[in-house]
Amino acid sequence: MFHATTILGYKADGKAVIGGDGQVSFGDTILKGNATKIRKLGEGGKVLAGFAGSTADAFNLFDMFETILAEKKGDLFKSVIGFSKMWRKDKHLRQLEAMMIVLNEEHIFILTGTGDVVEPQDGKIAAIGSGGNYAISAARALDKHATLSPRELVQESLQIAGELCVYTNTNIKLLEL
């Protein structure tokens, strides 16, 4: 588990939302409280992505994924398969301790350096990072028992994670499609 961040992706009602906290930790020290760990990718920003791991790795992996997304003409499913193959086969990239969530209105995936491409069982909620279990628990409960918009659900779930996980703060950033 990465003691780095909390990223939560959610898709419902024809919308996709990703959110992340702003904390950058190094061991038990907070280095920064307002980092941005999510972004829109692809032509027209039609894919949302979030990253847990080192910052330098994030920039490289976002750029690589965006290149593959362009090659696959924005097809998210084909892009995650191509990206996973490239990440798994490269001896330097395999050493990265990193995870990504990528999503659009149709799909949501968790990607890892070991080549994993995981589509969540429910097909709509995914979380990574040290506060990921807190965020996904809150999101599942809110999805089942509340009537919140997708944006509100992600905001509230990350707020809960930030109140519980010492490696997560409540300086939350959100992006949506």
Side-chain angles (χ1 to χ4, degrees), residues 17-29:
V17 180
I18 195 163
D21 75 312
Q23 186 163 304
V24 176
S25 304
F26 183 74
D28 59 2
T29 304

Side-chain angles (χ1 to χ4, degrees), residues 3-4 23-32 166-168:
H3 298 297
Q23 186 163 304
V24 176
S25 304
F26 183 74
D28 59 2
T29 304
I30 298 169
L31 295 178
K32 185 174 181 176
V166 298
Y167 297 104
T168 303

Side-chain angles (χ1 to χ4, degrees), residues 88-105:
R88 186 177 59 243
K89 289 179 182 177
D90 187 288
K91 69 179 183 175
H92 297 292
L93 293 177
R94 277 195 319 258
Q95 304 304 314
L96 300 181
E97 293 189 11
M99 297 179 83
M100 291 175 64
I101 293 177
V102 294
L103 72 151
N104 61 14
E105 295 96 339

